[in-house]
Amino acid sequence: MPWCETCSRYLTPSSLADDGTCPTCGRQVGETDQAEISSRFYNVLNSVAQVLDEYEKTIVDITGHTDSTGEESYNLNLSQRRATNVAQYLIAQGVNSTRIAAQGMGESQPIASNDTPEGRQANRRVEIELSPLTQPG
């Protein structure tokens, strides 16, 4: 269930604004303890799948991250589930699974402070890196 850290309350999915923001404070709502892909990211992931289809000699590294809320071992597992769900989505769009690597980093690589709601929100993420295959020699 979506959690608004600013308002400190859970929201039902139907109560969110169309852009995924809290109707009370207008802030983007993060999914604490969630590994499912939000539908608002389908267009981005479809674009990634299209690029991978067009450039067949490209591989993709998917890395899941969490904030520091909760146990470290749990967060490592949660981040792996996030990365795996993105990988499975791309595979469902026709990307060959041999071109995809997915890993979870847990809370080990924050991009912001975990001391604020905004920082924790930023740290709950999945990163996708595309790399061309290179031929030796």
Side-chain angles (χ1 to χ4, degrees):
M1 183 171 287
W3 172 258
C4 179
E5 291 199 34
T6 302
C7 297
S8 297
R9 67 184 181 114
Y10 285 102
L11 303 165
T12 62
S14 62
S15 71
L16 294 176
D18 289 340
D19 62 356
T21 58
C22 174
T24 304
C25 67
R27 294 193 48 96
Q28 188 69 41
V29 175
E31 296 284 344
T32 300
D33 194 29
Q34 294 295 314
E36 291 79 26
I37 300 169
S38 171
S39 61
R40 68 180 181 265
F41 295 112
Y42 292 163
N43 286 338
V44 172
L45 293 175
N46 291 341
S47 295
V48 170
Q50 187 175 4
V51 167
L52 290 169
D53 183 51
E54 186 174 339
Y55 297 95
E56 295 178 1
K57 294 188 186 275
T58 301
I59 58 173
V60 59
D61 289 307
I62 302 167
T63 308
H65 301 272
T66 67
D67 62 26
S68 63
T69 304
E71 294 292 323
E72 187 174 346
S73 61
Y74 181 85
N75 286 337
L76 183 61
N77 180 276
L78 175 60
S79 65
Q80 181 65 53
R81 291 192 333 250
R82 287 177 176 166
T84 299
N85 285 346
V86 170
Q88 289 174 338
Y89 184 91
L90 293 174
I91 292 165
Q93 302 310 306
V95 178
N96 187 321
S97 64
T98 62
R99 298 171 61 196
I100 299 173
Q103 69 175 352
M105 299 305 293
E107 58 193 64
S108 68
Q109 297 179 349
I111 58 172
S113 170
N114 279 301
D115 295 332
T116 66
E118 296 83 7
R120 289 188 295 274
Q121 171 105 23
N123 290 330
R124 295 188 297 266
R125 68 196 189 281
V126 174
E127 297 174 343
I128 299 173
E129 182 179 346
L130 304 179
S131 304
L133 285 175
T134 56
Q135 298 295 325

